[in-house]
C-alpha cells in the first residue's frame, strides 16, 4: 500500500509505502505520479520505505523497471530505507539506475536525513488528491500492465508498435468511410489482439491467447476459434451457440475520452460480454455490454 504526499513549499513528492511492497504498488504509484506530473509538473522525490515490512516482487520486474525512463527526470530523489530488507532492495535499484540512467537516487536510513538532503525546513505534506480515472480505465490500465509483466522481457520494438498503430489508423479510416452494409474482407479485420498489442508496452498477444467462457452454452473457447463478423464493428461469437462474446468498434472522432459502455483501447471501444482471460490475466466484462447482450446476441 502507498500514499502520495506533496510538499508545496519545497516541491517534494513523497511516496509513503507500508506493509508488503507488491507489484500493484509499483503500477498504481507510477500511474498516480504520472498524473501528478501531467497536472503540476515535475517535483523532487522521496520514496519512504519506513513502513514496509515485507517485499513480494520478482527481481526481473525490478531490473526491468530500472531500465524504463525515469518518472521524475532530472529531479533529485531520495530513498529512505531504515531496515536491512528494504535497504538491500533499494541498493539494487540504485545500482541498476546508475548503470542504465547514469544517475542514482540518494539512499538514506531516516526521513530526517532525507529532509536535510533536500534542504527542507517546512515539513508539511498534503495528501495528493488523485484525479484517478474511472474504475474501467484503471482496470484496462492494470490489465495491460499485468499482461506486459506476465510476458516478461519480450521483443517488441517501437517500430513494430508504430506499424501496428498505422495499420489500425488505416483500418479506422476504411471502417468509418465505408458504407456500413459492405463487409470487410478477411485481411482487413481488426482483431482484439491487434488492439491490445497496440496498447501493450512489451507483450505480444494473439487471438489464440485470449480465452472466454460463453454465457449461453458455457463453452470455453479461444477467440481465434470464434466466428468473427467484421463490419462497422468486429464481433466475436461463440463457435457453438453464436452468442456474441466481444465487440470492437472504432471510436469516432470527438467520442468521449471515457466511454460509458466499454474499455477504450487506443481509438477503439472494446465491449466484453464475458470475462476475457489473457495468459492468466483477467479482463472483466463490461457491465453495459452485459446489459445490452439480449439485443446483440
Ligand atoms: Zn455459446
Amino acid at each position: 500500500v502507498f500514499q502520495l504526499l506533496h510538499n508545496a513549499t519545497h516541491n517534494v513528492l513523497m511516496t509513503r509505502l507500508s506493509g508488503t511492497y507488491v507489484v500493484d504498488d509499483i503500477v498504481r504509484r507510477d500511474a498516480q505520479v504520472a498524473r501528478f506530473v501531467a497536472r503540476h509538473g515535475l517535483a523532487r522525490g522521496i520514496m519512504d520505505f519506513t513502513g514496509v515490512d515485507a517485499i513480494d516482487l520478482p527481481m526481473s520486474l525490478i531490473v526491468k523497471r530500472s531500465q524504463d525512463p525515469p518518472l521524475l527526470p532530472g529531479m533529485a530523489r531520495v530513498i529512505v530505507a531504515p531496515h536491512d530488507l528494504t535497504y538491500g532492495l533499494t541498493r539494487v535499484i540504485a545500482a541498476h539506475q546508475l548503470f542504465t540512467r547514469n544517475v542514482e537516487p540518494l539512499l538514506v536510513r531516516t526521513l530526517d536525513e532525507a529532509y536535510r538532503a533536500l534542504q527542507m525546513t517546512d515539513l508539511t505534506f498534503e495528501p495528493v488528491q488523485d484525479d484517478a480515472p474511472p474504475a474501467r480505465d484503471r482496470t484496462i490500465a492494470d490489465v495491460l500492465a499485468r499482461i506486459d509483466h506476465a510476458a516478461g522481457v519480450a521483443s517488441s520494438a517501437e517500430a513494430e508498435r508504430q506499424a501496428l498503430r498505422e495499420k489500425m489508423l488505416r483500418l479506422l479510416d476504411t471502417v468509418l468511410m465505408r458504407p456500413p452494409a459492405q463487409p470487410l474482407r478477411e485481411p482487413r479485420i481488426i482483431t482484439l489482439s491487434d488492439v491490445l498489442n497496440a496498447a501493450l508496452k512489451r507483450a505480444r498477444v494473439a487471438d489464440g491467447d485470449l480465452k472466454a467462457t460463453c454465457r449461453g452454452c458455457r463453452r470455453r473457447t479461444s477467440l481465434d476459434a470464434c466466428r468473427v463478423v467484421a463490419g462497422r464493428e468486429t464481433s466475436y461469437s461463440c463457435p457453438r451457440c453464436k452468442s456474441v462474446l466481444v465487440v470492437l468498434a472504432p471510436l469516432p472522432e470527438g467520442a468521449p475520452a471515457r466511454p460509458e459502455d466499454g474499455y477504450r483501447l487506443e481509438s477503439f471501444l472494446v465491449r466484453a460480454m464475458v470475462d476475457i482471460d489473457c495468459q492468466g490475466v483477467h479482463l472483466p466484462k463490461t457491465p453495459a455490454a452485459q446489459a445490452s447482450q439480449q439485443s446483440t446476441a
Side-chain angles (χ1 to χ4, degrees):
V1 186
F2 75 93
Q3 195 189 10
L4 204 60
L5 305 151
H6 186 238
N7 174 300
T9 311
H10 302 288
N11 191 26
V12 172
L13 198 55
M14 170 148 62
T15 305
R16 184 182 286 158
L17 292 146
S18 57
T20 304
Y21 189 38
V22 294
V23 174
D24 255 19
D25 291 328
I26 294 184
V27 172
R28 289 177 196 280
R29 184 256 173 191
D30 284 2
Q32 201 182 339
V33 169
R35 284 193 293 274
F36 178 91
V37 170
R39 176 160 292 206
H40 305 283
L42 291 168
R44 300 184 293 166
I46 295 177
M47 278 296 261
D48 181 13
F49 284 89
T50 306
V52 172
D53 48 33
I55 296 168
D56 182 10
L57 287 175
M59 189 51 77
S60 61
L61 175 73
I62 294 164
V63 172
K64 214 160 57 180
R65 192 172 167 285
S66 305
Q67 292 162 352
D68 287 341
L71 287 168
L72 303 171
M75 307 304 285
R77 287 172 311 118
V78 185
I79 295 177
V80 183
H83 317 300
D84 286 341
L85 178 72
T86 48
Y87 197 82
L89 170 82
T90 49
R91 267 182 57 186
V92 171
I93 294 174
H96 275 279
Q97 292 187 355
L98 178 63
F99 184 70
T100 54
R101 302 177 184 169
N102 245 337
V103 289
E104 62 181 325
L106 177 67
L107 203 47
V108 298
R109 290 282 191 176
T110 66
L111 261 178
D112 275 344
E113 288 175 80
Y115 297 147
R116 275 201 301 277
L118 296 174
Q119 298 182 317
M120 296 178 69
T121 48
D122 173 10
L123 303 180
T124 323
F125 280 88
E126 300 288 340
V128 170
Q129 295 304 316
D130 187 21
D131 47 347
R136 261 202 301 287
D137 283 15
R138 282 204 304 279
T139 303
I140 194 74
D142 275 2
V143 165
L144 292 170
R146 282 163 195 276
I147 296 173
D148 267 329
H149 172 57
V153 183
S155 54
S156 103
E158 177 60 30
E160 190 189 340
R161 202 154 56 238
Q162 189 57 35
L164 197 53
R165 286 217 175 87
E166 280 162 15
K167 177 189 171 193
M168 286 173 56
L169 287 176
R170 278 199 308 277
L171 279 158
L172 202 55
D173 284 346
T174 319
V175 170
L176 290 177
M177 288 165 66
R178 193 176 33 79
Q182 199 181 330
L184 283 172
R185 285 170 192 278
E186 186 71 20
R188 286 190 176 168
I189 289 176
I190 189 98
T191 64
L192 182 57
S193 49
D194 282 341
V195 175
L196 284 170
N197 284 335
L200 287 164
K201 285 203 180 77
R202 300 185 178 88
R204 278 280 153 279
V205 297
D207 272 7
D209 300 321
L210 306 172
K211 309 248 172 18
T213 301
C214 172
R215 270 164 46 97
C217 69
R218 311 305 306 164
R219 181 186 172 127
R220 180 89 172 151
T221 181
S222 68
L223 290 197
D224 63 346
C226 283
R227 182 161 161 271
V228 177
V229 178
R232 200 174 174 75
E233 304 179 330
T234 301
S235 71
Y236 290 80
S237 305
C238 169
R240 183 188 287 162
C241 76
K242 312 278 193 289
S243 286
V244 175
L245 304 177
V246 194
V247 178
L248 308 178
L251 284 164
E253 222 170 300
R258 285 159 190 164
E260 289 298 305
D261 55 346
Y263 299 109
R264 189 193 186 107
L265 271 171
E266 302 282 314
S267 45
F268 281 79
L269 177 71
V270 177
R271 284 178 291 144
M273 284 64 178
V274 292
D275 296 351
I276 311 267
D277 279 329
C278 179
Q279 298 165 346
V281 183
H282 207 60
L283 178 65
K285 67 185 171 205
T286 43
Q290 191 188 355
S292 68
Q293 191 180 24
Q294 300 320 86
S295 56
T296 40

